[in-house]
């Protein structure tokens, strides 16, 4: 079994795991030279001697395998705290001690930065999560049906099969109570469950967030109304003192969770305080899932911004970060740029509620168009641009517009344009791509990783550029 040609689907072999990949999978190799192939083995750890089964062989010298047996376990292996681990696809690292999780996340971050962005510097140690478990303030799970009963859970990896969920080590007790209440309601009322193949059935997803003692629940439905919703409100009232219940209609046969709007069925007190700012919680609000890490990131950003000049948030959402900075830095000017009109409306309301209307501009516009039309001379210096794009990374048009703006600033100041950039990313691959695209106008000054998602291979990274 020493050549690529000899390796085929269904082969069983014993092999030593050499490293861990970016997705947390074990990595092994067989063969030499052109015949060398890389084998990815989920849930195997570095140094382990294991039995595997080849599931798929690619022509490019990459194969994927299942872990059958561990002959020599790693000293870093621990007992997973979930019976669904390896089944539901939600966690990557429940079998690995927390210290080593952080080690491999940082190692893989540096590797992808070097490969994609030519970054040869260092990164700070990963900022630990306060809680390794029960840290998520948000849950989003699809409905399924087993034995004629409604269930909710996570999709089995690379499938549409639902792994039923009653409890999850990443979510606190509030999620268990919510799931039980919703399932009792759905099954007592005999509500139908959505089938993605036929596009029929009512219940599609539960999405919920628990922040500041308030629970915001939204049932995504394939229809216009939720029958007997008063029954669900009664069940939720037995478990929660402050909650809101919404529905969102999505009748499209797609993988998008939320519909285009939400409808309130019951509203509790939705106003909470986040980092000293009064905000409203609703199903369309965006907050990072780990409260402790969000606070550490915002503290670091706020401390890096001087009490003068301008702070421009190019993907601002409802403008929470800008409001926090405005409250902490009395002399700085905040410009929030957001393409979603509803988010800009919410940002204006947030400013009014927090008496920041005179300090913050909320602009509903595509960020690339904003920077293309921005006059450097009219912006208070120094300027800090903040990017917090979705997982797919920043739009190339936004990057090009920012680079052009920087070149304009340099020309007006004979190479001394006062302009810095902060980039917050939940995806090292797209972060490294975008940092490379931002060169040579910007160079990396510091990289700080944060463990926003313990027990998974995901990592939040804060990059400072000058």
């Amino acid at each position: 079994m020493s050549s690529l040609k000899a390796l085929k689907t269904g082969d069983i072999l014993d092999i030593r795991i050499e490293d861990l990949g970016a997705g947390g999978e074990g990595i092994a190799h067989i063969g030499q030279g052109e015949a060398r192939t890389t084998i990815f083995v989920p849930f195997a750890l570095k140094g382990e001697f294991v039995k595997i089964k080849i599931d798929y062989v690619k022509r490019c010298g990459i194969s994927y395998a299942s872990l059958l047996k561990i002959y020599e376990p790693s000293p870093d292996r621990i007992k997973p705290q979930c019976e669904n681990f390896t089944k539901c696809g939600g966690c990557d690292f429940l079998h690995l001690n927390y210290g080593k999780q952080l080690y491999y996340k940082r190692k893989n971050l540096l590797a992808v930065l070097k490969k994609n962005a030519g970054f040869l510097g260092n990164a700070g140690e990963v900022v630990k999560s306060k809680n390794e478990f029960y840290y998520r303030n948000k849950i989003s799970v699809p409905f399924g049906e087993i034995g004629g009963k409604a269930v909710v859970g996570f999709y089995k990896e690379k499938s549409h099969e639902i792994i039923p969920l009653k409890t999850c080590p990443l979510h606190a007790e509030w999620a268990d109570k919510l799931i039980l209440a919703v399932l009792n309601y759905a099954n007592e009322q005999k509500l139908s469950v959505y089938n993605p193949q036929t596009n029929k059935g009512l219940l599609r997803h539960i999405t919920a967030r628990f922040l500041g003692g308030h629970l915001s629940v939204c049932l995504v439905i394939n229809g216009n109304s939720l029958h007997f919703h008063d029954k669900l409100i009664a069940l939720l009232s037995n478990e929660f003192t402050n909650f809101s219940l919404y529905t969102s209609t999505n009748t499209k046969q797609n993988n998008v969770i939320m519909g285009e709007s939400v409808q309130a069925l019951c509203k509790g007190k939705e106003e909470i305080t986040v980092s000293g700012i009064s905000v409203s919680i609703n199903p369309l609000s965006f907050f990072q899932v780990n409260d402790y890490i969000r606070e550490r990131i915002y503290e670091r950003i706020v401390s890096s911004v001087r009490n003068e000049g301008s702070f421009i948030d190019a993907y601002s959402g409802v403008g929470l970060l800008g409001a926090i900075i405005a409250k902490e830095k009395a002399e700085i000017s905040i410009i929030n740029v957001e393409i979603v009109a509803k988010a800009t409306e919410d940002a204006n309301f947030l400013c009014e509620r927090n008496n920041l209307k005179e300090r913050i501009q909320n602009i509903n516009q595509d960020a690339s168009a904003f920077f293309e039309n921005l006059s450097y001379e009219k912006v208070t210096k120094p300027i800090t641009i903040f990017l917090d794009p979705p997982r797919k990374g920043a739009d190339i048009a936004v990057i090009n517009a920012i680079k052009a703006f920087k070149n304009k600033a340099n020309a007006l100041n004979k190479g001394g344009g006062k302009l810095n950039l902060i980039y917050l990313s939940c995806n090292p691959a797209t972060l490294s791509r975008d940092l490379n695209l931002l060169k040579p106008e910007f160079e990396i000054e510091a990289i700080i990783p944060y463990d926003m998602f313990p027990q998974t291979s995901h990592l939040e990274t804060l990059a400072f550029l000058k």
Side-chain angles (χ1 to χ4, degrees):
M1 196 72 65
S2 61
S3 70
L4 181 59
K5 292 182 179 179
L7 194 64
K8 61 184 184 298
T9 299
D11 280 343
I12 306 291
L13 62 152
D14 298 337
I15 202 163
R16 180 76 65 180
I17 303 299
E18 302 166 21
D19 208 346
L20 290 189
E25 62 280 279
I27 298 176
H29 297 90
I30 63 170
Q32 301 293 328
E34 294 183 359
R36 189 171 189 258
T37 186
T38 301
I39 305 174
F40 292 99
V41 189
F43 314 116
L45 297 177
K46 182 179 179 179
E48 293 186 330
F49 188 55
V50 299
K51 180 184 288 291
I52 64 173
K53 178 183 178 182
I54 301 298
D55 297 322
Y56 180 59
V57 179
K58 297 181 70 174
R59 292 184 180 180
C60 59
I62 294 175
S63 296
Y64 300 89
S66 298
L67 178 63
L68 300 181
K69 185 176 182 179
I70 304 171
Y71 297 113
E72 299 175 11
S74 165
D76 299 317
R77 180 176 285 276
I78 60 175
K79 183 179 179 181
Q81 295 192 23
C82 180
E83 63 182 16
N84 288 327
F85 180 56
T86 75
K87 300 175 185 176
C88 81
C91 295
D92 309 297
F93 281 144
L94 277 176
H95 60 316
L96 181 63
N97 76 62
Y98 188 55
K100 281 295 184 179
Q101 291 184 32
L102 302 180
Y103 167 80
Y104 283 110
K105 289 185 182 187
R106 182 176 181 275
K107 176 176 177 287
N108 288 321
L109 170 66
L110 287 171
V112 74
L113 287 172
K114 179 180 178 181
K115 178 182 178 182
N116 295 342
F119 178 66
L120 301 177
N122 215 331
E125 294 299 318
V126 181
V127 177
K128 297 180 181 180
S129 176
K130 180 179 180 180
N131 298 312
E132 299 174 29
F133 300 96
Y134 311 116
Y135 61 86
R136 287 186 62 93
N137 60 39
K138 181 182 180 181
I139 188 169
S140 182
V141 287
F143 282 92
E145 186 175 334
I146 296 179
K149 295 285 187 179
V151 298
V152 295
F154 296 111
Y155 286 118
K156 186 176 181 181
E157 193 170 6
K158 299 177 182 178
S159 80
H160 289 287
E161 179 185 349
I162 294 284
I163 303 297
L165 174 69
K166 292 183 178 179
T167 185
C168 172
L170 304 191
H171 302 92
E173 187 181 13
W174 66 266
D176 301 344
K177 293 179 179 180
L178 170 64
I179 289 171
L180 182 60
V182 171
L183 289 181
N184 284 341
Y185 156 72
N187 288 314
E188 287 173 4
Q189 304 306 320
K190 295 181 171 50
L191 301 183
S192 60
V193 172
Y194 180 72
N195 184 322
Q197 277 72 47
T198 63
N199 201 33
K200 294 182 179 180
L202 180 67
L203 302 175
R204 295 185 68 145
H205 275 81
I206 302 174
T207 68
R209 193 182 293 276
F210 190 81
L211 274 175
H214 175 75
L215 174 68
S216 180
V217 184
C218 183
L219 294 191
V220 182
I221 56 175
N222 180 41
N224 295 319
S225 62
L226 185 65
H227 307 304
F228 312 111
H229 63 261
D230 57 313
K231 305 291 186 182
L232 177 56
I233 291 172
L235 289 171
L236 292 174
S237 297
N238 292 334
E239 299 292 345
F240 303 98
T241 57
N242 185 23
F243 69 92
S244 297
L245 176 63
Y246 293 81
T247 59
S248 179
T249 296
N250 181 4
T251 58
K252 296 179 181 179
Q253 196 168 6
N254 57 25
N255 292 324
V256 176
I257 295 177
M258 296 290 289
E260 295 179 356
S261 62
V262 297
Q263 299 78 42
L265 302 180
C266 170
K267 276 195 174 186
K269 182 181 178 182
E270 298 185 312
E271 186 174 319
I272 66 169
T273 299
V274 176
S275 299
I277 298 297
S278 176
V279 298
S280 289
I281 300 297
N282 65 67
L284 299 179
S285 303
F286 172 78
F287 295 91
Q288 282 89 356
V289 300
N290 188 321
D291 296 337
Y292 176 82
I293 292 296
R294 181 198 66 239
E295 290 172 358
R296 302 292 81 73
I297 290 173
Y298 283 4
E299 286 172 359
R300 182 66 180 83
I301 293 172
V302 171
S303 68
S304 73
V305 178
R306 296 167 62 181
N307 191 22
E308 58 182 335
S310 301
F311 182 87
I312 304 174
D313 188 343
Y315 292 85
S316 62
V318 300
L320 175 60
L321 177 59
I324 294 171
I325 294 174
K327 186 172 182 179
E328 294 288 330
K329 310 280 184 175
E331 302 301 321
I332 198 168
S333 173
I334 306 295
I335 303 174
N336 290 324
V337 184
E338 172 58 48
I339 195 171
V340 179
K342 181 62 170 64
T344 302
E345 290 177 14
D346 290 343
N348 287 331
F349 184 60
L350 183 146
C351 288
E352 292 178 4
R353 173 186 290 154
N354 291 276
N355 297 315
L356 295 171
K357 189 175 180 180
E358 305 302 320
R359 300 276 316 285
I360 298 174
Q361 296 181 63
N362 294 313
I363 299 174
N364 179 222
Q365 189 177 20
D366 178 80
S368 60
F370 169 80
F371 284 109
E372 287 169 0
N373 297 318
L374 185 62
S375 171
Y376 177 76
E377 300 96 315
K378 295 182 180 180
V379 182
T380 308
K381 318 312 183 285
I383 302 170
T384 298
I385 295 173
F386 178 65
L387 298 178
D388 183 11
R391 185 169 177 78
K392 65 181 181 180
D395 191 289
I396 185 64
V398 175
I399 290 177
N400 288 338
I402 291 174
K403 291 173 69 175
F405 181 71
K406 179 67 163 66
N407 288 329
K408 183 170 28 176
N410 287 343
L412 291 170
N413 288 272
K414 299 181 180 179
K418 297 179 180 179
L419 179 61
N420 295 318
L421 191 147
I422 304 172
Y423 192 129
L424 180 62
S425 169
C426 63
N427 186 344
T430 53
L431 168 67
S432 58
R433 178 202 67 197
D434 291 350
L435 294 182
N436 189 56
L437 291 172
L438 284 163
K439 295 188 298 188
E441 284 78 9
F442 295 90
E443 62 181 57
I444 300 171
E445 185 175 25
I447 297 287
I448 306 173
Y450 292 82
D451 195 24
M452 181 76 75
F453 317 98
Q455 314 308 325
T456 80
S457 60
H458 302 299
L459 185 66
E460 197 87 3
T461 307
L462 192 59
F464 292 89
L465 297 90
K466 60 181 181 180

